[in-house]
């Protein structure tokens, strides 16, 4: 397999749609890629749909890391930082790529950068939810007020935009819920061309973050958060993959 290159300023985003994985033998192949601790975690899931999601996500991550490191997918061993964020320990003289993995109903996704910090969140937006009840608990007062002014369909859309931005930002920071969601606030610019910027009570050069909202399908909302040394907008390349089977360039849905 030819090793792929990952250059600074470039972000590679990979999607796997779970309804495209129909062969049970393929899931067995995915399981064979996992180390013992991940197999143990897999067995804790009670439902087959959750097991399939976990297997596809781990297989996607391992095949991607294999592309960019030249390592065999089954030989890849991940470690965890203090707040639980997984990472690939450096091997050789070159730093390991930074990644973020996200799962939701029907979709798993991985974002990858050569350097810096990256966070990704994907959410299935099809289920009915009480946007304002959740926002009252997890959104800032400014976000809640903005949400409350919107009619039903627009409210739900903006809710998931806020939610995925928050999750992606926290993942990129590597803090998990150690920085509460309500302490990270987003304001959408009047012009689409202007960047979305986070504000939090625990600032860390917030002005250097780049955030982007994406719609992988009409059922899914995604958000990316990146912090790199360059201030130039990151170049995004998107691939759809069935791990160990196929990979193809992917164009985002227009919602």
């Amino acid at each position: 397999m030819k090793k792929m290159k990952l250059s600074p300023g470039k972000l590679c985003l990979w999607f796997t749609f779970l309804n495209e994985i129909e062969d049970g033998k393929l899931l067995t192949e995915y399981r064979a890629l996992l180390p013992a601790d991940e197999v143990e975690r897999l067995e804790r899931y009670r439902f087959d749909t959750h097991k399939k999601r976990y297997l596809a996500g781990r297989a996607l991550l391992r095949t991607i890391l294999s592309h960019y490191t030249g390592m065999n997918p089954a030989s890849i061993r991940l470690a965890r930082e203090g707040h639980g964020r997984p990472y690939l320990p450096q091997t050789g003289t070159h730093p390991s790529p930074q990644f973020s993995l996200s799962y939701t109903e029907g979709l798993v996704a991985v974002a990858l950068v050569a350097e810096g910090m990256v966070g990704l969140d994907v959410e299935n937006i099809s289920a009915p939810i009480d946007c304002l009840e959740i926002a009252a608990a997890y959104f800032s007062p400014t976000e809640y007020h903005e949400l409350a002014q919107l009619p039903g369909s627009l409210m739900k859309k903006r809710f998931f935009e806020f939610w995925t931005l928050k999750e992606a930002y926290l993942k990129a920071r590597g803090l998990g819920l150690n920085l509460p969601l309500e302490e990270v606030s987003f304001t959408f610019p009047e012009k689409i061309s202007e960047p979305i910027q986070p504000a939090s009570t625990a600032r860390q050069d917030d002005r250097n973050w780049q955030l982007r909202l994406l719609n992988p399908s009409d059922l899914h909302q995604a958000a990316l958060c990146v912090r790199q040394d360059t201030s130039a907008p990151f170049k995004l390349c998107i691939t759809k993959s069935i791990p160990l089977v196929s990979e193809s360039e992917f164009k985002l849905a227009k919602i």
Side-chain angles (χ1 to χ4, degrees):
M1 180 187 300
K2 185 178 179 181
K3 184 177 176 181
M4 295 182 177
K5 293 184 179 180
L6 191 63
S7 57
K10 181 178 180 181
L11 188 150
C12 292
L13 180 60
W14 297 66
F15 292 120
T16 294
F17 293 91
L18 299 178
N19 63 351
E20 296 182 356
I21 300 176
E22 300 177 341
D23 187 353
K25 293 180 180 179
L26 192 55
L27 296 179
T28 301
E29 293 183 48
Y30 293 167
R31 183 188 176 104
L33 299 178
L34 305 185
D37 61 320
E38 292 187 12
V39 172
E40 181 180 348
R41 184 175 179 182
L42 170 69
E43 294 303 324
R44 295 177 193 158
Y45 290 104
R46 294 179 55 192
F47 301 106
D48 289 343
T49 53
H50 296 163
K51 289 184 177 182
K52 179 179 180 180
R53 186 191 310 173
Y54 182 82
L55 282 169
R58 293 292 159 165
L60 177 63
L61 176 60
R62 277 184 158 70
T63 54
I64 294 169
L65 291 176
S66 174
H67 288 332
Y68 293 100
T69 65
M71 300 172 65
N72 185 299
S75 70
I76 292 173
R77 295 294 182 269
L78 303 177
R80 289 189 178 272
E81 297 177 351
H83 293 298
R85 177 169 62 178
Y87 69 95
L88 179 65
Q90 182 173 336
T91 56
T93 58
H94 297 288
S96 297
Q98 303 298 306
F99 66 86
S100 183
L101 168 66
S102 187
Y103 304 79
T104 192
E105 183 180 350
L107 177 67
V108 294
V110 172
L112 200 75
V113 293
E115 57 188 28
M117 305 164 75
V118 62
L120 165 69
D121 187 53
V122 293
E123 300 290 341
N124 188 299
I125 62 176
S126 62
I129 59 169
D130 189 327
C131 297
L132 291 181
E133 181 179 1
I134 299 173
Y138 297 107
F139 286 14
S140 70
T142 301
E143 292 170 331
Y144 180 90
H145 177 74
E146 179 178 342
L147 205 64
Q149 308 308 307
L150 297 173
S153 60
L154 293 179
M155 179 189 293
K156 188 176 183 181
K157 183 177 187 302
R158 182 51 52 90
F159 170 88
F160 277 106
E161 289 174 342
F162 276 137
W163 186 272
T164 54
L165 285 169
K166 288 171 179 286
E167 290 282 359
Y169 176 72
L170 292 180
K171 287 184 177 182
R173 290 280 298 270
L175 297 175
L177 294 179
N178 289 280
L179 178 59
L181 288 173
E182 63 271 20
E183 293 188 15
V184 180
S185 183
F186 293 90
T187 302
F188 283 80
E190 293 183 5
K191 297 180 180 179
I192 297 178
S193 59
E194 294 178 351
I196 303 169
Q197 289 291 338
S200 77
T201 57
R203 289 181 178 273
Q204 186 183 13
D205 295 331
D206 286 341
R207 64 186 182 278
N208 293 329
W209 293 102
Q210 295 185 47
L211 296 113
R212 192 173 301 181
L213 289 164
L214 310 167
N215 292 106
S217 78
D218 57 357
L219 297 179
H220 297 100
Q221 175 68 56
L224 286 165
C225 181
V226 184
R227 182 171 181 252
Q228 298 179 318
D229 291 337
T230 176
S231 60
F234 62 84
K235 181 181 179 181
L236 180 63
C237 63
I238 307 176
T239 303
K240 185 175 76 166
S241 171
I242 299 177
L244 304 181
V245 176
S246 65
E247 297 170 357
S248 59
E249 184 179 354
F250 182 69
K251 292 185 178 180
L252 293 169
K254 294 183 179 180
I255 307 299

